[in-house]
Amino acid sequence: FFFGTNMSFADKIKAQTSNVEPSEVKKLVLDGCKAPELAALAPYTKLTSLSLMNCSLSSLDGLPPFPELVVLKLSDNRLAGGLERVAQCPELEVLMLAGNRFDTIACITPLKSLTKLRCLDLYLNPLTKKDGYRSSIFELLPVLEGLDGEDKDGKEFELDDEDEEDEEEEDD
């Protein structure tokens, strides 16, 4: 998809979902939309992937629960809390929060309920500068396999995109 940078939130959703029932939409990429109205996402109950990077979000108020969401990208926003909303996505495996304003481990605590969370990116958040940051996060989230692109031992961690590729092939 190619989207102009001046597209409104509603227009960007419409451009990706035309002629498709909201309950059938699996993926939305809404990067760069300024001040999106998150409650407008409520009809998209079957989303498995949602990207809201660089949207100037300072709050997740209005973010509906997504029972099937696997990937959530919220990097490069102004978030400092509100992860209780994210915790309402029980299937979440990948959460990208790089470039936000999370400054304490306590901000991340709501994610404890996400028993399938494999990959978390907190790069460029103030809390990453704290002593013991990595061990604290891995202790808080024992199911986690990768943090900021590295595993528990500090080795490079990459997600295998096989699942996404399989979905794309089915769409062809």
Side-chain angles (χ1 to χ4, degrees):
F1 299 117
F2 173 77
F3 301 106
T5 54
N6 294 330
M7 256 187 167
S8 76
F9 190 61
D11 289 343
K12 220 169 199 181
I13 291 174
K14 188 185 268 185
Q16 293 178 63
T17 63
S18 60
N19 303 322
V20 180
E21 289 296 316
S23 63
E24 294 178 21
V25 175
K26 297 282 188 197
K27 181 176 185 175
L28 282 174
V29 178
L30 304 168
D31 299 350
C33 290
K34 299 303 174 205
E37 183 56 52
L38 297 179
L41 297 171
Y44 301 93
T45 56
K46 300 286 186 187
L47 282 180
T48 59
S49 179
L50 175 61
S51 187
L52 291 162
M53 298 193 305
N54 193 26
C55 290
S56 301
L57 288 172
S58 58
S59 165
L60 293 175
D61 289 350
L63 185 73
F66 294 108
E68 297 179 23
L69 196 67
V70 175
V71 177
L72 179 57
K73 298 179 181 179
L74 295 168
S75 297
D76 302 318
N77 281 293
R78 301 176 186 153
L79 299 170
L83 293 179
E84 299 80 11
R85 296 268 183 187
V86 173
Q88 295 177 9
C89 304
E91 298 299 315
L92 201 63
E93 293 180 20
V94 178
L95 179 57
M96 310 304 262
L97 294 170
N100 277 287
R101 298 178 178 175
F102 296 101
D103 60 358
T104 66
I105 300 295
C107 296
I108 307 306
T109 303
L111 302 180
K112 281 197 320 192
S113 65
L114 297 174
T115 58
K116 296 183 179 184
L117 190 64
R118 293 176 40 222
C119 178
L120 177 62
D121 188 355
L122 291 166
Y123 184 68
L124 295 178
N125 276 276
L127 75 93
T128 63
K129 294 180 173 79
K130 296 191 186 301
D131 289 341
Y133 148 74
R134 290 182 56 78
S135 59
S136 297
I137 295 290
F138 279 114
E139 190 176 309
L140 178 70
L141 306 170
V143 296
L144 203 62
E145 295 172 25
L147 175 63
D148 305 339
E150 296 179 344
D151 67 12
K152 288 179 182 162
D153 300 323
K155 295 185 181 121
E156 187 174 343
F157 176 83
E158 284 187 37
L159 283 170
D160 49 340
D161 289 334
E162 289 175 16
D163 297 333
E164 282 186 29
E165 288 172 17
D166 289 346
E167 284 178 21
E168 287 173 19
E169 288 171 14
E170 288 172 15
D171 293 341
D172 290 349

